[in-house]
Amino acid sequence: MEMTDLKLAGLKLITPRLFQDDRGFFYEIYRADAYLAQGIDPFLQDNTSFSRYGTIRALHFQRDPGQAKLVTCVQGQIWDVAVDLRPESASFMQWESVLLDDQTHKQLYIPKGFAHGFCVLSPSARVHYKVSSFYDPKTECSIRWNDPELNVDWPIKDPVLSPRDQVSPLFREVRHVLDRR
């Protein structure tokens, strides 16, 4: 695999080694020793979501102990975004995005301390992501997808949102939980 550091410290774009022939393709979506060699700790839980065009799932994070993610779009195309929520970081409150799809098979590694979201650009998309800690609803947080302070430039202006994402708090309303992590 090829691992590229992105603009925000800790974010990595991963391009797997793809084996293709007239039957199709094969690649390793995850191999613990290869990721450990790149400084990425093992993951404890796998999640999959299926969404239709125009859906935005955002911006979610876990407070304590935090959650690193390895995101792969296994069907379709998504615009994936990570927002730096680490108060001590030089890129605090900045965001970065990448396109993930079922053609390039690239992955986005998001370390602890980031909020994560994505927007579906294809008719539908299936997203698989590994996480470094178990889901805990007591530590789950979200920030409104169109928060003016974060100013994420989503490619969809009238998205399909879950009821929760429609009423997620603004960044200024959850900022206090970042200082307690």
Side-chain angles (χ1 to χ4, degrees):
M1 84 179 100
E2 177 185 326
M3 201 168 288
T4 306
D5 291 326
L6 297 178
K7 178 181 71 175
L8 302 184
L11 288 181
K12 297 180 184 297
L13 188 62
I14 300 158
T15 305
R17 186 169 173 210
L18 196 61
F19 300 92
Q20 289 182 295
D21 60 27
D22 58 349
R23 299 168 298 161
F25 67 86
F26 169 86
Y27 72 98
E28 291 178 341
I29 198 166
Y30 178 74
R31 183 178 163 140
D33 62 343
Y35 286 81
L36 280 169
Q38 297 291 330
I40 295 175
D41 291 333
F43 295 97
L44 300 178
Q45 181 177 320
D46 284 33
N47 302 315
T48 299
S49 70
F50 178 84
S51 307
R52 65 183 174 95
Y53 172 80
T55 295
I56 289 180
R57 294 181 182 261
L59 292 160
H60 306 148
F61 66 98
Q62 297 282 318
R63 280 191 322 266
D64 186 33
Q67 223 178 34
K69 294 181 179 179
L70 181 64
V71 183
T72 307
C73 182
V74 294
Q75 179 261 311
Q77 182 183 59
I78 64 169
W79 187 82
D80 206 47
V81 65
V83 179
D84 190 344
L85 298 181
R86 304 169 297 182
E88 72 285 355
S89 171
S91 58
F92 179 58
M93 293 178 55
Q94 293 179 29
W95 59 271
E96 188 160 2
S97 66
V98 298
L99 282 175
L100 300 178
D101 61 36
D102 60 7
Q103 299 299 304
T104 65
H105 309 284
K106 292 182 179 183
Q107 300 173 307
L108 179 62
Y109 171 71
I110 305 167
K112 292 178 183 181
F114 282 77
H116 171 251
F118 65 86
C119 176
V120 179
L121 301 178
S122 53
S124 63
R126 193 161 42 106
V127 178
H128 177 265
Y129 52 102
K130 301 178 94 45
V131 294
S132 64
S133 61
F134 297 115
Y135 171 74
D136 182 353
K138 294 185 297 285
T139 67
E140 181 179 38
C141 295
S142 63
I143 300 169
R144 192 164 311 152
W145 70 279
N146 60 351
D147 184 284
E149 220 176 334
L150 300 177
N151 198 30
V152 175
D153 188 18
W154 296 97
I156 300 291
K157 301 307 174 201
D158 188 23
V160 177
L161 299 165
S162 70
R164 177 183 132 199
D165 285 345
Q166 290 175 23
V167 298
S168 290
L170 295 171
F171 176 75
R172 70 175 182 264
E173 297 170 298
V174 297
R175 166 85 194 253
H176 67 281
V177 303
L178 304 176
D179 298 326
R180 293 188 305 204
R181 288 200 290 172

